[in-house]
Amino acid sequence: MNDMKVGIVGGGPGGLGCAMSLAHNGFDVTVFEQASDVGGRNASIRLGDFAFDTGPTFLNMKFVLDELFQLCGRDSSDYLKFKLLDPMYQLSFVDREILMSSNKESMNKELERVFPGNIHGLEKFYVKEKARFEKILPNLRRDFSRLTSFISPKVIRAIPYIFAGGSIYDNLGKYFKEEKLRVCFTFQSKYLGMSPWECPAAFTMISFVEHEFGVYHVMGGLSQLSKAMAKVVIEEGGNLETGARVEELVTSGRKVTGLRLQSGEAYSFDYIVVNADFGYAFTKLVEPDKLRKYSQQNISKKRYSCSTFMLYLGVKKQYSAPHHNIVFSHDYRSNINDIVQGRLSDDFSFYVQNACVTDKTLAPRGKSTVYVLVPVPNNFSEIDWGEEKPGFRGKVLDAIEARTSMKDISDKIEVERIITPEDWENEYNVYKGATFNLAHNIRQMLYFRPHNRFEELQNCYLVGGGTHPGSGLPTIYLSSIISAGLISRHAKIGR
Ligand SMILES: Cc1cc2nc3c(=O)[nH]c(=O)nc-3n(C[C@H](O)[C@H](O)[C@H](O)COP(=O)(O)OP(=O)(O)OC[C@H]3O[C@@H](n4cnc5c(N)ncnc54)[C@H](O)[C@@H]3O)c2cc1C
């Protein structure tokens, strides 16, 4: 162990990834997590004998997780059991359903069945988007803490692929004419909480990576990822303090020197890593006049993702619906516009996970877990969720019964939990309940996103969805690799 001490605020995927790497590199690491267990938005929710994932249910780009474990001298498969999902998911429009597959032969057949005459466009998509992905990926692995980061052949080569092409919806027009087919390859912008009509074309890489590398489930739920990472932290000699809410980052001038917990205890550290949600952390954990670029007022002017209304249902029945189901509203575009403009739609799109078709460990025999996610406006909308919650719950159950094969779900509920955008903000410390963090528009990407080496405070580093390269498990794991690398370098050579 070296004599450098690192304190990490938050034990979500970003904080745990960074803790694993730093502890493996010999740092004396302590993770402070406010909740009673690690994982954050990737933690497990238990309702009686039913187990749910709080947030992430799709593991994409599994090779990034594998890399993180390899950097710590480990094999992820020694800790976790993965299941490649084929089909990846079912997409339901009012007039048709399609099963999307990462198996190219099955995908071609299904496309021909549901959207005949489009195989040529699909082949073009694979080739062109592979080229884009190969140019962009090295830049997701780089630190963009300095403007000079742009002066590199890899970045220069990627610029046309990152900054040109309009929105992902425009980009898909190169491959497919039909609106619904374009939606099949662009709805993934919702993983970033953005509209396909606004999300930059660069993010077509999300649907590309699904088709190229597949979508995985983790047996026991994706929360097992955080549990496995926490295990590695402990094996490497790191400390995990749960039920430890950080109240303040302690500073001396512009340098962070430690942190203070809600309980009053204070600790000194050589480095602080902030994994807590960016907007929350820098409006709540530092004195209001400490920051300039990210003053409270400037943070409030940034653009943010949408939020989500969540229903976790433990039901007395097993359904045959696929593992992942995305149901589009009658008018998808107008639903997206409502979300962007801060209105609740009556006709909304939603996602239903029926994980027990793959994983029987999540519920008692003969029963199952049903996870429902409805994209809704974030809390800039000022929707009063105290008032809306019961009515909206009813509308969501009606929509599931009308649009999926779960026709009797209301009668089968044994236990349930709801998380509203207000709960995300108040219980999970997510700024404005924007569950997918700062938006990923061009002006908030790469160098223009809060830097991994936080630009306003010395010895302070960021990990998680609010820094580069962005929200989503694989990119969050990359943020932890980048930030751990920066800290290791700083400890060694002082910059
Ligand atoms: C509903 C939903 C679905 C998602 N689905 C997917 C998906 O399918 N696939 C995917 O790749 N990504 C998905 N994401 C996006 C993203 O991968 C996850 O949100 C991810 O868990 C975010 O990780 P993080 O480390 O940035 O933050 P978090 O998981 O929020 O971790 C931050 C941690 O900091 C802690 N904390 C906050 N304040 C304090 C404090 N004051 N003191 C101490 N600790 C504190 C929190 O409790 C939390 O544990 C989803 C997100 C949501 C919300």
Side-chain angles (χ1 to χ4, degrees):
M1 191 178 278
N2 68 36
D3 57 359
M4 292 286 188
K5 293 173 72 173
V6 183
I8 301 186
V9 184
L16 293 169
C18 197
M20 277 169 71
S21 307
L22 289 173
H24 180 73
N25 288 344
F27 287 83
D28 178 359
V29 179
T30 305
V31 178
F32 297 92
E33 168 54 50
Q34 61 159 0
S36 57
D37 200 1
V38 293
R41 279 167 262 193
N42 178 226
S44 165
I45 291 180
R46 277 211 83 90
L47 299 177
D49 293 328
F50 297 87
F52 301 82
D53 284 319
T54 307
T57 54
F58 285 57
L59 176 62
N60 290 336
M61 293 168 74
K62 174 180 167 287
F63 62 87
V64 175
L65 175 84
D66 295 342
E67 271 172 43
L68 178 62
F69 274 72
Q70 279 154 19
L71 282 173
C72 300
R74 284 165 168 82
D75 185 337
S76 66
S77 62
D78 291 337
Y79 293 78
L80 297 153
K81 202 165 159 213
F82 300 98
K83 176 103 174 84
L84 180 70
L85 297 175
D86 188 23
M88 297 189 281
Y89 39 76
Q90 177 171 280
L91 304 179
S92 302
F93 298 93
V94 178
D95 59 349
R96 65 189 104 173
E97 286 174 345
I98 181 166
L99 287 165
M100 303 296 275
S101 174
S102 57
N103 176 309
K104 295 201 167 58
E105 212 176 298
S106 313
M107 191 64 245
N108 277 352
K109 271 195 203 144
E110 184 69 351
L111 196 69
E112 202 46 27
R113 183 182 73 79
V114 186
F115 294 98
N118 280 288
I119 288 184
H120 176 65
L122 181 62
E123 279 162 2
K124 206 167 145 197
F125 166 85
Y126 291 140
V127 174
K128 294 251 179 207
E129 294 308 323
K130 188 179 178 81
R132 179 196 299 274
F133 173 70
E134 285 171 353
K135 294 283 183 309
I136 291 179
L137 183 64
N139 296 292
L140 303 184
R141 299 180 186 282
R142 282 176 75 88
D143 167 43
F144 274 89
S145 297
R146 297 167 199 269
L147 200 49
T148 50
S149 316
F150 281 107
I151 310 169
S152 137
K154 278 187 184 149
V155 184
I156 292 165
R157 274 198 294 273
I159 280 176
Y161 293 92
I162 297 174
F163 293 108
S167 69
I168 60 172
Y169 186 82
D170 296 336
N171 188 38
L172 259 290
K174 288 188 206 150
Y175 313 117
F176 308 119
K177 292 261 170 307
E178 221 172 312
E179 170 161 339
K180 283 182 182 145
L181 188 46
R182 288 202 217 179
V183 168
C184 295
F185 289 82
T186 58
F187 79 89
Q188 292 83 349
S189 61
K190 273 283 135 209
Y191 303 171
L192 303 174
M194 290 183 75
S195 150
W197 288 273
E198 287 186 3
C199 186
F203 290 103
T204 312
M205 71 168 262
I206 306 179
S207 59
F208 172 75
V209 296
E210 289 184 344
H211 285 269
E212 183 73 2
F213 305 109
V215 172
Y216 287 84
H217 173 67
V218 179
M219 299 308 276
L222 266 69
S223 58
Q224 297 303 319
L225 294 166
S226 285
K227 290 203 165 76
M229 290 162 78
K231 192 164 179 236
V232 176
V233 175
I234 299 292
E235 287 171 358
E236 291 287 358
N239 310 299
L240 286 178
E241 301 288 340
T242 51
R245 186 184 170 102
V246 175
E247 192 71 11
E248 186 187 7
L249 301 185
V250 178
T251 54
S252 167
R254 305 215 67 74
K255 188 171 172 182
V256 181
T257 55
L259 51 80
R260 192 170 55 74
L261 300 185
Q262 192 178 41
S263 61
E265 289 164 275
Y267 298 85
S268 296
F269 287 104
D270 297 294
Y271 299 99
I272 290 286
V273 177
V274 177
N275 173 223
D277 183 83
F278 177 80
Y280 154 81
F282 292 99
T283 51
K284 298 282 194 230
L285 303 184
V286 289
E287 292 157 32
D289 55 353
K290 194 87 206 161
L291 306 180
R292 295 180 203 124
K293 182 173 174 186
Y294 292 113
S295 65
Q296 295 198 356
Q297 203 193 8
N298 287 346
I299 285 179
S300 74
K301 286 187 195 149
K302 296 269 157 207
R303 293 189 63 192
Y304 290 87
S305 76
C306 70
S307 189
T308 57
F309 178 91
M310 310 294 300
L311 261 179
Y312 307 91
L313 307 173
V315 297
K316 295 176 257 184
K317 183 167 179 177
Q318 286 182 334
Y319 290 101
S320 59
H323 188 109
H324 294 306
N325 305 274
I326 292 134
V327 181
F328 297 105
S329 56
H330 293 67
D331 183 347
Y332 183 54
R333 189 162 189 169
S334 109
N335 172 223
I336 297 282
N337 285 344
D338 281 347
I339 296 170
V340 173
Q341 286 161 22
R343 289 188 299 266
L344 269 183
S345 302
D346 279 328
D347 173 27
F348 46 81
S349 307
F350 56 97
Y351 159 73
V352 179
Q353 188 209 34
N354 183 33
C356 290
V357 285
T358 313
D359 187 349
K360 301 272 182 276
T361 67
L362 302 172
R365 187 189 284 261
K367 301 183 179 181
S368 60
T369 55
V370 176
Y371 160 126
V372 189
L373 181 162
V374 188
V376 292
N378 63 35
N379 296 333
F380 282 103
S381 67
E382 298 184 356
I383 291 168
D384 179 347
W385 281 101
E387 196 159 293
E388 295 290 343
K389 181 163 128 174
F392 200 68
R393 171 194 177 274
K395 285 183 188 172
V396 174
L397 291 175
D398 288 349
I400 296 172
E401 292 184 352
R403 299 284 313 276
T404 75
S405 55
M406 301 176 174
K407 300 291 175 207
D408 54 358
I409 193 155
S410 306
D411 297 334
K412 301 292 174 196
I413 298 171
E414 188 173 308
V415 283
E416 74 173 85
R417 180 167 171 202
I418 294 176
I419 298 182
T420 69
E422 277 172 8
D423 301 327
W424 284 122
E425 182 162 353
N426 300 331
E427 290 173 30
Y428 287 84
N429 291 354
V430 175
Y431 184 74
K432 297 289 178 189
T435 39
F436 309 98
N437 229 298
L438 286 160
H440 293 70
N441 50 318
I442 296 287
R443 295 177 66 180
Q444 296 185 169
M445 280 164 58
L446 304 169
Y447 174 77
F448 308 107
R449 209 165 175 81
H451 299 168
N452 298 80
R453 182 202 310 272
F454 187 48
E455 52 264 64
E456 295 236 56
L457 296 171
Q458 285 167 36
N459 295 358
C460 183
Y461 293 78
L462 307 182
V463 288
T467 185
H468 172 70
S471 180
L473 290 175
T475 38
I476 288 169
Y477 298 146
L478 287 173
S479 79
S480 60
I481 296 173
I482 295 170
S483 296
L486 289 172
I487 293 171
S488 300
R489 180 187 153 107
H490 191 271
K492 207 165 165 189
I493 62 172
R495 63 188 171 83

